[in-house]
């Protein structure tokens, strides 16, 4: 099972559309995970239409239309991998401990908000993943997203993917 992890798309505020490379990944993915800050409901509609399966949450920049359709926390079992998705986890200081306490029955937590890619494992074994943003790099050198694979109940091949700089 191939996963695409994205967050903080901020359309159309930070970009007019998702980069074509990300749409190619949507087509290749069995599951697309979006960790919030969509901004425009049109992207949710398009991802629902073009994804085989979409798991998403709302973020702090998402208005009533998105909040009506998306939860604050989403959970799914992906072939034995217990996934949770949330937009914000708070400050990086103490993140692992907070997430262990808040998500005790979770194998992988995907989050966003900071636009800073993140990939760590907590003391309890929870994998924390933040794909960054494919449209707004902020202080990062590149816009990013992540891909991963689920095989036999294990998350494997987690890769941070960089997008070419926009001119």
């Amino acid at each position: 099972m191939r996963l695409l992890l994205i967050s903080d798309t901020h359309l159309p505020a930070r970009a007019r559309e998702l980069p074509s490379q990300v749409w190619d990944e949507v087509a290749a993915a069995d599951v697309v995970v979006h960790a919030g800050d969509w901004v425009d409901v049109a992207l949710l509609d398009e991802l629902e239409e073009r994804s085989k399966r979409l798991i998403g949450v709302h973020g702090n920049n998402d208005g009533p239309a998105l909040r009506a359709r998306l939860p604050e926390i989403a959970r799914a079992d992906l072939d034995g991998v217990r996934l949770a998705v949330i937009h914000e986890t708070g400050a990086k200081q103490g993140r692992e401990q907070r997430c262990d306490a808040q998500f005790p029955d979770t194998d992988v937590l995907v989050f966003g908000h900071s636009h800073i890619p993140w990939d760590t494992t907590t003391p309890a074994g929870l994998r924390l993943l933040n794909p960054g943003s494919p449209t707004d790099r902020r202080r990062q050198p590149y816009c990013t997203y992540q891909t991963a694979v689920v095989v036999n109940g294990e998350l494997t091949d987690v890769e941070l993917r960089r997008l070419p700089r926009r001119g």
Side-chain angles (χ1 to χ4, degrees):
M1 176 184 297
R2 184 170 170 78
L3 310 181
L4 167 62
L5 312 178
I6 57 176
S7 187
D8 298 283
T9 47
H10 292 271
L11 294 181
R14 299 292 184 231
R16 285 188 210 101
E17 58 190 16
L18 282 183
S20 61
Q21 182 177 332
V22 176
W23 284 118
D24 291 346
E25 295 284 2
V26 168
D30 298 299
V31 180
V32 175
V33 177
H34 192 302
D37 274 4
W38 309 68
V39 179
D40 188 357
V41 74
L43 177 60
L44 174 57
D45 292 339
E46 191 169 6
L47 274 174
E48 283 180 335
E49 183 179 308
R50 294 173 69 171
S51 301
K52 294 175 187 82
R53 180 176 179 189
L54 177 64
I55 301 168
V57 298
H58 66 74
N60 62 298
N61 284 296
D62 295 327
L66 286 159
R67 288 171 184 263
R69 292 174 57 187
L70 296 164
E72 180 181 2
I73 299 172
R75 297 177 189 273
D77 185 301
L78 301 178
D79 289 344
V81 172
R82 299 169 300 172
L83 174 80
V85 186
I86 191 169
H87 184 61
E88 291 187 62
T89 60
K92 75 177 182 177
Q93 185 91 11
R95 177 176 288 143
E96 281 83 2
Q97 293 75 18
R98 279 192 313 277
C99 291
D100 275 343
Q102 188 175 358
F103 297 94
D105 297 322
T106 303
D107 300 311
V108 177
L109 176 64
V110 178
F111 67 99
H113 188 62
S114 68
H115 299 218
I116 299 170
W118 189 275
D119 183 354
T120 59
T121 301
T122 70
L126 172 63
R127 184 83 175 259
L128 300 176
L129 298 173
N130 183 330
S133 170
T135 56
D136 184 12
R137 64 184 180 88
R138 286 194 182 159
R139 293 172 299 281
Q140 300 304 301
Y142 295 93
C143 289
T144 58
Y145 62 94
Q146 289 171 323
T147 58
V149 177
V150 174
V151 178
N152 298 323
E154 301 259 339
L155 186 73
T156 66
D157 301 325
V158 176
E159 288 189 43
L160 181 66
R161 309 283 181 139
R162 293 178 173 175
L163 288 155
R165 288 184 188 239
R166 294 186 297 218

